[in-house]
Amino acid sequence: MLQEMRECGVEPRLLTRAVPRPQNTSYVVPNVIHYIRYTNNVTFEFQHYLSYRSVQLFIRPRYIFLHGDSIPDGEWWQKTLAEVDNLYHVYRKQPKDVHGTPIQFIQHSADITRLVVLIDYGGIYIDDDVLIIRSFDPLRNYDLTLGRPVKIALSNGIIIARKGALFLRIWLENYRNYNPKSWGGNSVAKGSTLGKLFPHLVHVEEQSLLHPSWQESPLMFSHRRHYNWTENYCIHIYFENHHKIPKIPEQLKSYDNTLGQVMRHIYYGNSSLIPVPGPPFRP
């Protein structure tokens, strides 16, 4: 894949140590992770570090590509660079229009970029607030896998796709009808519509990728609520700015909810609460 990029005039820049991992050709989706980050002044925090750490632990990808015009900084980014192997930055300018229509939100630019990247190279795209729980290998023999967070949506926050997947090409072509004022109409709602039209082109995971969903936030964040996440491939934190979540590991130790269990599973290798002096950290 590095050679493919270079032949297209793209020069990925290695940010961390390179660890050789062989390409397993028995899967149709390459074991490669893609993140996207455009300049938006979003601080790289503990939960983002845990996303990269969980990728390293449970996916063990051949490459991790961070696409965009911005490289994070700060304590948790430095810890990511120290711990995560095979991490490359791929410089990309933020798309300002799609099929001639100006793009209104930076998030819409990222929506379009993830489709382009996966069409060009294939692999696994995840948002940087997705925490991996176990290997995605069982999903890598489908041309395309999406998760359904709610009945009316197929999410683009996690996309597992072979290079050139037809469903993604149709999705990108449908951006000719892009509505700049619609927040999720071009992405999750359109994904659901296309899923109904072309069900043979997409494998849908109903529970294991995106639950608890944004409509089930108490199952994720409420004190002493514990969703059974053990059969999940991952969880998507969603709306972390609307909830009090740990910023440092000490707060994580007494964070008694579903998210706390998953974060401890990734950071400590054990989901149990850890006794600490003083009052517990409450959501």
Side-chain angles (χ1 to χ4, degrees):
M1 188 171 292
L2 288 176
Q3 187 58 34
E4 274 187 87
M5 289 183 173
R6 289 168 179 149
E7 288 173 358
C8 295
V10 176
E11 187 57 48
R13 180 160 71 93
L14 181 63
L15 302 178
T16 61
R17 66 176 183 169
V19 175
R21 290 186 182 136
Q23 181 176 355
N24 188 336
T25 56
S26 64
Y27 295 98
V28 300
V29 175
N31 195 26
V32 172
I33 295 289
H34 302 279
Y35 289 98
I36 295 169
R37 184 182 181 91
Y38 290 121
T39 305
N40 59 1
N41 297 319
V42 173
T43 304
F44 191 90
E45 297 185 331
F46 181 49
Q47 69 266 24
H48 305 126
Y49 153 78
L50 286 179
S51 178
Y52 282 77
R53 178 182 173 93
S54 67
V55 162
Q56 170 93 336
L57 288 171
F58 303 118
I59 300 291
R60 297 188 60 78
R62 194 175 186 205
Y63 308 115
I64 302 171
F65 295 112
L66 173 59
H67 302 262
D69 60 4
S70 173
I71 297 178
D73 57 15
E75 172 189 0
W76 292 109
W77 178 246
Q78 293 305 314
K79 192 167 175 61
T80 299
L81 295 179
E83 295 183 8
V84 175
D85 304 326
N86 300 329
L87 174 54
Y88 292 79
H89 182 246
V90 180
Y91 179 80
R92 288 178 180 270
K93 290 183 178 179
Q94 179 188 339
K96 298 298 184 181
D97 70 87
V98 56
H99 299 304
T101 302
I103 296 172
Q104 183 159 334
F105 300 105
I106 194 170
Q107 291 85 354
H108 290 178
S109 294
D111 289 341
I112 293 159
T113 300
R114 71 195 65 181
L115 299 181
V116 171
V117 165
L118 291 175
I119 290 168
D120 286 348
Y121 305 114
I124 301 166
Y125 167 80
I126 61 172
D127 286 348
D128 66 2
D129 59 353
V130 170
L131 304 180
I132 307 300
I133 295 169
R134 61 187 174 103
S135 170
F136 279 27
D137 282 356
L139 305 178
R140 289 176 52 219
N141 268 325
Y142 299 101
D143 278 11
L144 175 73
T145 298
L146 297 172
R148 191 187 307 281
V150 296
K151 288 183 179 180
I152 61 170
L154 285 180
S155 176
N156 68 348
I158 304 159
I159 306 175
I160 304 153
R162 75 182 303 164
K163 177 180 177 179
L166 179 56
F167 188 95
L168 298 186
R169 288 186 278 139
I170 294 170
W171 200 346
L172 184 60
E173 180 64 20
N174 268 262
Y175 270 85
R176 293 190 181 278
N177 303 314
Y178 170 63
N179 178 0
K181 296 180 180 180
S182 175
W183 181 256
N186 312 286
S187 53
V188 294
K190 178 59 69 174
S192 182
T193 299
L194 294 175
K196 293 174 183 176
L197 290 172
F198 305 104
H200 58 295
L201 297 180
V202 57
H203 169 73
V204 177
E205 285 290 312
E206 299 288 348
Q207 292 291 327
S208 65
L209 289 177
L210 290 154
H211 286 271
S213 72
W214 61 74
Q215 292 183 350
E216 302 166 322
S217 62
L219 296 178
M220 181 84 78
F221 297 103
S222 291
H223 184 56
R224 294 182 178 174
R225 292 286 296 274
H226 300 120
Y227 178 85
N228 182 11
W229 48 269
T230 57
E231 297 300 317
N232 279 35
Y233 288 100
C234 59
I235 65 164
H236 195 165
I237 296 177
Y238 299 117
F239 305 134
E240 58 263 35
N241 293 332
H242 297 251
H243 300 273
K244 189 177 181 182
I245 68 172
K247 300 296 184 184
I248 57 174
E250 280 300 308
Q251 294 174 341
L252 175 60
K253 291 179 179 180
S254 58
Y255 191 56
D256 191 6
N257 56 16
T258 297
L259 181 58
Q261 288 185 331
V262 173
M263 294 174 87
R264 285 189 296 274
H265 171 68
I266 294 165
Y267 191 76
Y268 294 111
N270 187 327
S271 64
S272 301
L273 292 169
I274 300 170
V276 292
F281 182 78
R282 294 281 179 88

